[in-house]
Amino acid sequence: MSSMTPLAHPPHSEAQLLAQAQQLAGRTLGELAAMAGLPIPRDLKRDKGWIGVLLEVWLGASAGSKPEQDFAALGVELKTIPIDGAGRPLETTFVCVAPLTGNTGVSWETSHVRHKLRRVLWIPVEGSRDIPLAQRHVGAPLLWSPNEDEERQLRMDWEELMDLIVLGEVERVTARHGEVLQLRPKAANSKALTEAVGAHGEPILTLPRGFYLKKNFTAALLARHFFLKTY
DNA sequence: AGCTGATCATAC
DNA sequence: GTATGATCAGCT
């Protein structure tokens, strides 16, 4: 326990990555931040990505911005997921920005969504705002790939949403579209604009959008994991 | 209460 | 603006 330390280098195998993640289970964010020498914000209001960065440090992921998977050599993406006392997600999960132009000929097979979700290390973290940040516990990790059903659900939603984008109907899409995958703003604020395609094929300016996993999807994959592990 | 639309920090 | 990391918070 006292030898616990952040990985100084990216893990060389999934097994090593998972082993390190399992070491974090049961610890509090306060303990992990102190051991890593990171200051703890009072809350996440102005530090929304803080937990993600903290766990990146512990797991040897390259912190910072790179359009790559967190563990590129392993092809693994890291996602922290806030959960309530019953282990259910408190928030949707951002996947990637949605391409709003240049989409002629794009397919699910080569999509960013599919690539990002090919293999994910999920790390549940207590997320209730009633629990002080430093006292929140890290849960047991789950190394996951979509099964046949999950992949089909994702593909169907992705194709529906991309069809609307290509047809110039992006501004008619709401977060209600999609069963497990939704499209929502992903921007600094409501004044940030990016290019998209209008209803008549003309260029328009609209909010940047991102693909997000709905809570029903992540809740199911977490529940399945804990069911199989426990019984 | 939960969801949808909006927002926060930082690097480049 | 885009890309990384996500959660906030007003409204239904």
Side-chain angles (χ1 to χ4, degrees):
Chain A
M1 300 305 172
S2 56
S3 63
M4 271 190 72
T5 182
L7 290 182
H9 304 288
H12 52 68
S13 67
E14 279 195 350
Q16 187 195 4
L17 172 60
L18 189 56
Q20 177 75 352
Q22 286 165 344
Q23 289 296 306
L24 307 183
R27 313 304 301 233
T28 65
L29 297 180
E31 292 172 330
L32 295 177
M35 287 188 279
L38 289 186
I40 310 175
R42 67 179 297 120
D43 57 46
L44 297 178
K45 289 182 184 177
R46 294 185 174 274
D47 295 271
K48 297 180 179 180
W50 183 79
I51 298 176
V53 171
L54 173 65
L55 295 186
E56 282 182 350
V57 169
W58 272 94
L59 297 175
S62 46
S65 56
K66 288 193 192 129
E68 278 277 326
Q69 286 158 314
D70 295 290
F71 305 98
L74 301 179
V76 174
E77 178 74 13
L78 173 66
K79 288 291 181 193
T80 62
I81 183 164
I83 56 168
D84 65 17
R88 294 189 52 94
L90 286 167
E91 293 288 348
T92 58
T93 301
F94 173 71
V95 179
C96 62
V97 169
L100 302 183
T101 61
N103 284 313
T104 51
V106 294
S107 70
W108 165 249
E109 298 299 326
T110 57
S111 69
H112 291 304
V113 171
R114 182 165 182 269
H115 185 249
K116 277 272 185 181
L117 298 180
R118 194 154 180 16
R119 195 121 180 98
V120 179
L121 179 66
W122 296 97
I123 303 192
V125 178
E126 287 182 327
S128 169
R129 296 180 211 179
D130 295 341
I131 309 174
L133 192 54
Q135 292 176 26
R136 297 184 194 175
H137 290 88
V138 175
L142 164 57
L143 199 45
W144 168 88
S145 292
N147 65 24
E148 210 171 273
D149 285 345
E150 290 165 335
E151 170 122 5
R152 178 179 44 72
Q153 291 182 303
L154 291 168
R155 176 175 54 74
M156 289 180 42
D157 283 350
W158 181 89
E159 289 177 345
E160 175 191 333
L161 293 167
M162 287 304 297
D163 280 347
L164 291 168
I165 289 172
V166 168
L167 291 172
E169 303 192 86
V170 63
E171 296 196 311
R172 293 184 41 212
V173 178
T174 75
R176 275 146 281 214
H177 286 80
E179 297 294 321
V180 300
L181 190 70
Q182 66 184 174
L183 201 64
R184 303 218 309 277
K186 166 63 174 175
N189 53 59
S190 60
K191 286 122 193 156
L193 297 175
T194 193
E195 187 176 317
V197 178
H200 306 291
E202 80 283 16
I204 63 170
L205 289 177
T206 192
L207 281 173
R209 312 299 163 95
F211 286 111
Y212 294 79
L213 297 176
K214 291 188 171 183
K215 291 198 288 184
N216 59 348
F217 185 83
T218 48
L221 77 85
L222 290 177
R224 200 178 63 232
H225 171 67
F226 290 117
F227 181 79
L228 291 173
K229 291 276 290 183
T230 307
Y231 301 96

